[in-house]
Amino acid sequence: MANIIDFEPIGLRIPCMKGDTIFDAARKAGIPIISYCGGKTICGRCKIRIMNGNVSAISNNEKNLLSEEEITNNYRLACTMRVLSDLKIEIPPESLATIQRLQLLGKEPQLSLDPVITKYEVKLQESSLENPLADWENLHKFLEDKYGFKNLRPDISLLQNLSSKIRNENWEFSTIVRNDEVIGITKSDEDLYGIAIDIGTTKLAVYLIDLHSGKTLAIQGAMNPQIAYGEDVMSRISYAMENGVDHLRNCLLNTLNRLIQQLTGNPEKVVDVTIVGNTAMHHLFIGLPVKQLGRAPYLPAIVHSLDVKARELGLNVAKGAFIHLLPNVAGFVGADHVAMLLATEIYKASKCTIGIDIGTNTEVALSVNGDIASLSCASGPAFEGARIKHGMRAGNGAIEKVNIKNNKIDFEVIGDVAPIGICGSGILDTISQLLQNRIIDQRGRLQDHDLVSQRKANREFILVPKKNTGIEKDIVVTQNDISEIQLAKAAIRVGINILLEKCGINEEEIENMVIAGAFGTYINVESAIKIGMFPSIPLYRFTQVGNAAGIGAKLALISNEHRSIAGNIANRVRYIELTTHPKFTREFSHALQFP
Ligand code: FES
């Protein structure tokens, strides 16, 4: 018999089988309990409090990951504790994933339309005993005579409906042609729409585009639902290795179909789709194996661009529509990187230009005089708030900016709420301010200071005292948090340094540094320079461009030329494997220090 779990403060009651974990029950009900380890009892972030009811005995892992105080107050980890009776549980705010602030907009270059999909007016001669042409041949002859098409072929779904449609439209309508294929017919006055999709590890961005004008009509964003199965690419890959790709693929597909439905009201109007994402997201969307991405030499199943019928992949748009998946470069440099280079036009740079998109994997490109070199750094999820004691994504309640002067701490919080944690830009600012105020030294060690407290063997900096927070405890930055940021910033800086060295360029020669992506949009570049994550070049050389990968997907949607440029970029990029570079270890340990 099912037990009932009452989730507070959401007020949701759901049935759950005895022996299930709360984490699985919440996931099935769509309750977004935070998990940075995909439910493997490693991260300790899925804390919940038992208000009443019986559960399994506390495990050793829980004892290691929870404080004594938390255990005394009935806190447990949702991913390991099992349900033994009806339960009432509380999900504390820091364990509930808020919707992340999604950076969907980005700078767009000027371009003239070069549509992949074109509409042609048709007025057929009605078939008769005197004109006994079959319907497809009748249409084909018209398109050949009037527009000069040769060897067009019909999409099978078009053919299945052609006879009834041309008669319903009284032999006068428009055909939708993509390259050498007629993919649909429509009323002459109907507009054509396309969808550009950026599948990020953390978030999804879907753009509705008018294919006639090239204008963006609407944008929808959402968290990538695969987050419930692991925060970063490697944990998704390991989930897929254990459980197959179907579940990850299906939850992603369902969310994309929902977003397209919300954007269009009628997905049948969408006649073309482009998709970008890192190589793992690309593979998971198509249903390709990802096991080989998780092991050296980290090879993709395919890097070339793909054109696949949307219906074959289960994406609900017009029946004849294709999805164009932009090319990947390598196992950890994917189509989103190619799209970023396309949108920012870094591939054209004559002066030394660095493009960087910071995420759990950070891709960095250096372009100069037509030569492009790229690599991927395992910067980890610290800037997404993971592995940081009070870290969280950039949603409501996240401290996003910090300034410390004369022991007075000023901070800004996203949304009109009390702070409940710190997001990536906030932690970056905090570390920079701690350094400037000599509260940490160059090795990142917290010093004796009024704002530093000692909790057991660990020191921590009290950023916001309990009375001013929304979580009834201090929001702190621990010594361990500082180490996590040192690891993340060192990974990024080593990537930049090794690219510079490979291209024989000094950091002063960097003329442009283009920061793409959601995190990059909100960071204080000065803070990033102060902690040594970015080279110390003048601030005016930095540009924050927003979601360039999404814009690249849009460019490829409305321009044939940009599809081929994307292919050309992917071929030109010289991929550099960072971890096997002979100087990696030395550079990395040097970059761990603060300047
Ligand atoms: S410890 Fe439970 S999700 Fe990570």
Side-chain angles (χ1 to χ4, degrees), residues 23 34-46 65 77 79:
F23 189 70
I34 287 183
S35 146
Y36 288 141
C37 67
K40 292 203 169 81
T41 324
I42 297 170
C43 69
R45 297 308 298 264
C46 59
L65 290 165
L77 294 179
C79 67

Side-chain angles (χ1 to χ4, degrees), residues 346-353 366-372 572:
I346 287 175
Y347 67 94
K348 289 183 183 171
S350 55
K351 293 178 179 168
C352 174
T353 300
L366 191 154
S367 173
V368 60
N369 287 328
D371 182 26
I372 311 170
R572 274 169 51 198

